[in-house]
Amino acid sequence: MADRETRPTTVWSRPERGARGPAPERSRTQITAAALVLADAEGLAAVSMRALAQRLGTGPASLYRYVGSRDELLDLMADAVAGELDLSGATGGDWLDDLVGLALQSRDAHVRHPWLADLNDRRGEVLGPHAIDYLDHALGILAPAPGTAGEKLEAIGLLGGLAVLFARREAAATSTGDPSTGDPAARAAHLAAVAAEGSHPHLLAALTAAGAPPPADRDALFVRLLRRLLPAMLGQGEP
């Protein structure tokens, strides 16, 4: 086990507040919950110590008794979302079904909190207690699966990346005023018309061989991709 002194300092490596001073008026959990509400309503850019203090009816200086910086607050927020995932299910069943179910939960969490993907892009990999629980749970699901430990960690990373990608697509599809998210049937018809002009023979051949596209169903596509990619990454053919 690595020496405690060599571990990176994070907000979780310190007590929630110092032993001295007046009794605490609130907790990190309460502060983080308020920050989540603010980010969900107004976006990540709106989350500042000053704005959060105003929402809580206190001064910014008082929040620094619990959270050392905005970066630490962002770490707490990301880990709180990880804590929304239900990890209570027993492992040891069908590992692919269980992992796909976990991926659906992850995607739904990113849909609920659309700012999360941008936050993770900017902050790097700072794993809090809930995120570590998630990683351990996913590895437990993969215990009976083929593949090396490294391949399993890569598969979990792919799961997270696809969850983010599909959450972003869903957010774009439900937003207003974005012409790139038009009707899927109209986009397919446009692509077919362009291919039929004859200038893109490979596209025409692919569309002809594929036939009519299935009805747009993001859940089905998400699950289908995972069920194809995850076994392949772990050295197993498509089930």
Side-chain angles (χ1 to χ4, degrees), residues 32-215:
T32 303
L36 290 179
V37 172
L38 181 58
D40 289 345
E42 302 182 32
L44 192 62
V47 178
S48 67
M49 300 298 276
R50 181 176 299 278
L52 185 57
Q54 291 176 347
R55 178 173 286 268
L56 291 169
T58 187
S62 69
L63 298 185
Y64 287 104
R65 295 169 52 199
Y66 308 90
V67 182
S69 66
R70 181 177 185 267
D71 285 342
E72 287 192 352
L73 176 63
L74 298 180
D75 290 342
L76 289 168
M77 292 167 62
D79 197 60
V81 176
E84 295 177 4
L85 276 62
D86 181 8
L87 307 181
S88 62
T91 60
D94 184 304
W95 67 265
L96 186 53
D97 285 346
D98 291 344
L99 202 61
V100 168
L102 192 62
L104 287 167
Q105 283 199 68
S106 178
R107 185 211 55 187
D108 291 346
H110 280 84
V111 171
R112 290 193 300 272
H113 308 289
W115 46 267
L116 180 61
D118 291 335
L119 171 58
N120 287 336
D121 287 345
R122 292 168 51 185
R123 63 192 277 276
E125 293 296 328
V126 180
L127 297 183
H130 289 120
I132 293 172
D133 289 345
Y134 165 85
L135 179 59
D136 187 74
H137 182 75
L139 288 169
I141 289 175
L142 285 171
T148 65
E151 289 169 342
K152 291 177 180 182
L153 288 170
E154 289 175 352
I156 295 170
L158 172 70
L159 179 155
L162 281 177
V164 170
L165 173 63
F166 273 73
R168 280 176 162 160
R169 289 184 62 184
E170 185 164 337
T174 56
S175 66
T176 58
D178 186 350
S180 66
T181 63
D183 177 48
R187 292 200 304 270
H190 170 70
L191 189 61
V194 170
E197 293 173 356
S199 300
H200 304 85
H202 302 295
L203 177 60
L204 177 60
L207 292 177
T208 301

